[in-house]
Amino acid sequence: MAFQTLPQGDQKGDRPWWLVAFVLMAVALAGVIFVSDLYAQVFNTVVKGLWVTVFVTLVGFSLATALGLLIALLGMSDSIVLRQIARFYVEVVRGIPIIVLLFYIAFVGAPGFVALYNLVMSPLISAGMFDAMIVRDVSLMWRAIIALMIGYSAFIAEIFRAGIQSIDKGQIEAAKALGLSRSQRFRLVIFPQAIRVIFPPLSNDFVAMVKDSSLVSVLGVADITQMAKVYASGSFRFFETYSIVAYVYLVLTIGLSILLRGFEKRMRERRG
């Protein structure tokens, strides 16, 4: 039996009832926070780490996107050496869990960077022109951001590679025939079309990083999760605390997903 695939939302009765249920739940919990002093206190404590979560996510994802694009371009280079380096990077980084990468960058990479800096700058440090760096000079927040950047860049590189390779080679050959340079072909022909393929999985990775940013709490970075851990360990109000944490993350991730899907829909309509 053949089944006809309909666009999302065209199936009979396919309405976002899940969203209605979530909004009702979110409104109900917001009411509880408003009327309950305990929940209000927990909420006010937890949201103090919101700006850290937002900062880590935005900076980490921006850097991961830039690095991922660079790795993808190296992977499609004419040089076999650059291609193999890019493939090695992608396969190795994708095989390491984010939390392991976080610990490695924080407690191995950062001390190694400080030792290398002091070695390279030793003549200037001896002359009194610069101070020697210590490990504490590298903030835990930036160690976490670098770890997220490295971890996500490997996956984003594959997204860029698939999107770029989805472009019809005939268009690239036509651009060559018009005398466009490689950078012009990429900027004017390839990337504007590839972004339509790249954007959906890239937006999914962005939402995933919002959630994975909670891992920075293992380093003591004062994000939402860390603020909740500190409060719960002192008050023993684990149910109330982590209910609020789940509520805040759900509002962030579902809200972002809806916004990004709306933007993706407008891209499809513009393309049509």
Side-chain angles (χ1 to χ4, degrees):
M1 180 182 293
F3 294 92
Q4 182 180 6
T5 302
L6 299 176
Q8 185 177 5
D10 286 355
Q11 290 89 343
K12 185 177 181 181
D14 187 9
R15 298 292 183 268
W17 299 116
W18 67 269
L19 182 58
V20 175
F22 171 74
V23 169
L24 292 175
M25 182 185 71
V27 170
L29 189 51
V32 172
I33 294 171
F34 182 76
V35 300
S36 172
D37 292 338
L38 174 59
Y39 277 91
Q41 183 180 17
V42 175
F43 179 80
N44 291 332
T45 301
V46 168
V47 295
K48 290 178 181 178
L50 180 61
W51 77 271
V52 175
T53 295
V54 172
F55 180 81
V56 167
T57 302
L58 291 178
V59 176
F61 191 79
S62 299
L63 295 174
T65 301
L67 181 57
L69 177 59
L70 175 62
I71 296 299
L73 294 177
L74 291 178
M76 293 181 290
S77 170
D78 294 333
S79 170
I80 187 173
V81 175
L82 295 179
R83 291 200 305 270
Q84 291 301 314
I85 290 174
R87 177 50 52 188
F88 176 82
Y89 177 90
V90 169
E91 296 299 335
V92 169
V93 173
R94 288 198 305 175
I96 303 175
I98 294 293
I99 192 167
V100 175
L101 192 60
L102 196 70
F103 284 132
Y104 192 87
I105 295 298
F107 302 118
V108 179
F113 169 78
V114 170
L116 179 62
Y117 172 86
N118 289 335
L119 178 63
V120 172
M121 302 295 290
S122 57
L124 298 178
I125 293 173
S126 301
M129 298 178 64
F130 289 94
D131 293 330
M133 182 181 289
I134 59 176
V135 177
R136 286 182 297 177
D137 291 333
V138 183
S139 72
L140 291 172
M141 180 186 294
W142 278 103
R143 299 185 209 185
I145 289 173
I146 292 171
L148 290 173
M149 174 195 73
I150 294 173
Y152 270 80
S153 64
F155 295 95
I156 292 175
E158 289 297 277
I159 293 173
F160 276 116
R161 181 190 60 79
I164 293 170
Q165 290 181 342
S166 69
I167 303 303
D168 187 357
K169 292 184 178 179
Q171 297 190 40
I172 301 175
E173 294 300 325
K176 288 182 181 179
L178 291 173
L180 297 180
S181 65
R182 171 170 288 190
S183 62
Q184 289 175 324
R185 293 197 299 269
F186 178 79
R187 181 167 49 88
L188 300 176
V189 178
I190 298 173
F191 191 75
Q193 298 180 73
I195 192 63
R196 302 186 184 108
V197 178
I198 292 168
F199 184 79
L202 197 63
S203 62
N204 288 339
D205 274 5
F206 179 68
V207 174
M209 186 177 280
V210 173
K211 295 183 292 182
D212 281 347
S213 68
S214 62
L215 295 174
V216 306
S217 62
V218 301
L219 300 181
V221 178
D223 72 323
I224 293 172
T225 306
Q226 176 64 13
M227 298 301 294
K229 287 167 60 178
V230 171
Y231 183 88
S233 63
S235 65
F236 298 99
R237 295 286 186 173
F238 295 102
F239 174 79
E240 295 86 349
T241 302
Y242 289 108
S243 294
I244 294 295
V245 171
Y247 170 74
V248 172
Y249 276 113
L250 279 171
V251 170
L252 285 174
T253 55
I254 293 180
L256 280 172
S257 296
I258 293 171
L259 289 174
L260 293 171
R261 286 176 188 173
F263 185 75
E264 179 187 345
K265 182 179 179 182
R266 287 195 296 271
M267 289 178 63
R268 289 198 305 266
E269 291 172 350
R270 184 180 301 176
R271 181 183 182 184

